[in-house]
Every structure is written in structure tokens, then in C-alpha cells.
Amino acid sequence: MQTPEIISESFIEKNTHFISLIEILKKGFDNQDNQTPMRHHHDFYNPQEQNDSTLLLMPSFNIGKDLGVKIVTVSPNNSKYDLPTIQGNYIYLDAPTGSIKAIMDAKSLTVKRTACTSALASIYLSRPDADSLLMIGTGALSTNLIKAHTAVRPIKKVYVWGRDYEKASNVCKKFMDTEFECIPVKTIEEKIKEVAIISSATLSPIPLILGKHLQPGQHIDLVGAYKKDTREADNETILKSSVFLDTYQGGLKESGDIVIPLKEGILKEEDIKADLFELCQNKKPGRTTETEITFFKSVGHALEDLAAASYYYQIATKEHK
């Protein structure tokens, strides 16, 4: 029996070329042979923390070619124990035989593919001349979202906001030698009106992006608020925007950014312009005007994991030849 490749966080960090991974994801969304069941999402009570943790099981397969499943737990209070909020592994399998080809660190795989999915959406939804970004959040996703967005747009200035200003400063220190300037800010309001792209990756239970601040032509990228009762943008943001999803399958059911406006009648399913399958397959258009405010909500999709897993597996096996 073949010994599975062990693909670590450090390997993924070292071997990520953002433009290449974005292109792999685009091909995945364009491939109509991929099949992805609805992910299993189980909230369970954590009595020690007096709140819910979450177990996620995410399979995806391309018949006869690729097969994989991600097993993840989300524990919101893990920062108290100096542990990641998100933990898990990705199991990459040989589709014909079911044997395990690789076991990968799910957290690093997830942050890379999530950031690249947002950048893929940005290619269709942000203005081609977008030259500034406000990053809301200072977790592991923030640095990767900055890298991905700046890979596809000519961004010259990045502003970073977090509840802890020191953490925002530390994020910016990672980009001291880049072509763009990275600046920590103490409030969202001081920069939200002037940037071309607003990206948010937080666990905030209440909206941080308020529609009253938005300006024509902006693009909003939301990757936090993974529960039905949490959201990062308010109703006015929805009303002002053209709304797009990574997938209808998860987007309509899993995040309060979409579920709450649907329940309140602020948004109707038919108002949603497209998902990434439709954009990548050229079935529907993305941004259509310079002044349009575009809103992209990503909840994650197992196809993204499978595409990213195949990308890293190919790199790992080439190193052994």
C-alpha cells in the first residue's frame, strides 16, 4: 500500500503561487464534471466555553479522476488557549481505488483557497483599475486575502483594521518589502469611503460594513460570518449592491449575510446576479458598469478544496521525481 504524502502547513505556505492557484480554481468552477454534495454542518454545544463549536465535513469528486474530503472543527474561543479557531485535515484520495494519496493541513489549505476564490471573484467583479484595499480583520486569512487581491489588481495602498490595533500593525509589517503600501487604521470609517475594494474576514456577530458609507464603483468581498445568525454587512449594503455568491448551494443557506436579508425580505433569491460557476462558465456577467457596487459572499465550497488539493499534490509529487 502506498504511503500517503503528508503535506504540511509549511509546505503549502512555501509552495503557493497565487496566480497559479487562482487559475486552478477557475478551471474547477468551469469544469461541469465536478460533483459536490452539500456539506455537513453540525453545531454542537461546548459546555466549557458556553457556546457552540462546529464540525464541517466537505466532500467533492470528479468521477474517475479526483476525490477528497475535508474534516474541520471551528471553535470560536480557541484564541484563549493560543490555538487556531479552525483546525482540521484534508484527505485526498485516488478516485478509482479509494486509497489515500495525501493528508494535508486543512487550515492552510483553506486560507489559501479561500483567499484565491475571493481574488477570482474580484477579476469579474471589481474594477480593473482598483488600486486600494481595506482589509477588515487580522486573522490568518487577512494576509492571504491581501496577497491574493494584490495579485489580480494594481493595488497601491492597503489599509488594515482590526479590533486590536497592534495586530493590524503586525499584519502590515509583513508587507514592508512589497510594491504596495500597507497601513494600519484605527477605524473602519476613516478609509471605507475611499477604497476600491473592501475585504472582510471576521467572526463579528454584527455588521461592520455599513451601507451608508459605501461609494459608487466599490467591490465588497465577505468571507467571514459563517453562521446563519452572524453577518459582516448590513441591509443597506445589500440594497445598494449587486449581489454575487461563490455558490448558490451554500450561499443561500449558511451565512447570515445572505440568510438574514432573505428572511427579512430585503433580498430575494432572484435578485442574486450569479455565482462563481456561472461567472467562470461565462453564463452570466459580473460587473457591468463603473459605478455599480458589487457584493461577493463566500462561504466556501468543497470544490475549492479539491482543486487546491490537486494543485499541492502535483507540486509535492514532482519534488520526488
Side-chain angles (χ1 to χ4, degrees), residues 165-281:
Y165 182 76
E166 184 177 351
K167 289 183 178 180
S169 297
N170 289 337
V171 169
C172 288
K173 288 176 183 177
K174 297 177 183 178
F175 297 101
M176 292 180 66
D177 297 324
T178 55
E179 294 181 358
F180 57 87
E181 187 177 7
C182 192
I183 306 163
V185 295
K186 293 186 176 180
T187 67
I188 293 171
E189 292 75 18
E190 65 190 87
K191 291 298 177 183
I192 193 171
K193 293 182 179 180
E194 64 183 67
V195 295
I197 299 173
I198 302 158
S199 183
S200 186
T202 76
L203 295 175
S204 177
I206 59 172
L208 298 172
I209 298 170
L210 306 181
K212 66 182 181 180
H213 297 308
L214 299 180
Q215 303 298 313
Q218 289 181 312
H219 171 58
I220 302 155
D221 167 47
L222 302 184
V223 299
Y226 67 96
K227 290 186 177 182
K228 296 178 183 179
D229 59 351
T230 62
R231 60 192 304 190
E232 295 184 291
D234 67 357
N235 283 341
E236 188 174 348
T237 299
I238 292 286
L239 291 170
K240 283 187 170 182
S241 303
S242 297
V243 177
F244 298 82
L245 304 175
D246 55 350
T247 70
Y248 293 111
Q249 184 188 56
L252 292 173
K253 298 176 180 178
E254 295 188 15
S255 170
D257 276 308
I258 299 299
V259 171
I260 294 171
L262 284 172
K263 286 184 177 179
E264 294 179 353
I266 299 296
L267 178 69
K268 297 179 181 178
E269 286 191 27
E270 55 266 31
D271 293 332
I272 297 170
K273 300 295 184 181
D275 71 358
L276 271 178
F277 288 103
E278 293 169 327
L279 293 175
C280 292
Q281 294 171 20

Side-chain angles (χ1 to χ4, degrees), residues 76-138:
N77 288 357
N78 269 10
S79 60
K80 290 167 52 178
Y81 308 102
D82 198 28
L83 291 171
T85 299
I86 300 171
Q87 298 185 84
N89 285 291
Y90 192 84
I91 312 300
Y92 186 54
L93 303 137
D94 179 73
T97 67
S99 59
I100 297 174
K101 294 199 290 187
I103 300 172
M104 306 184 191
D105 177 74
K107 180 175 180 288
S108 52
L109 179 81
T110 301
V111 296
K112 299 300 184 188
R113 64 81 156 154
T114 300
C116 287
T117 298
S118 285
L120 173 60
S122 183
I123 292 171
Y124 293 97
L125 302 179
S126 69
R127 298 194 317 269
D129 64 349
D131 62 359
S132 54
L133 167 70
L134 171 61
M135 184 68 241
I136 299 174
T138 57

Side-chain angles (χ1 to χ4, degrees), residues 32-48:
Q32 299 183 43
D33 291 332
N34 287 320
Q35 297 183 33
T36 304
M38 188 68 183
R39 69 179 171 187
H40 295 250
H41 185 130
H42 304 283
D43 292 329
F44 59 94
Y45 187 62
N46 185 340
Q48 182 172 322

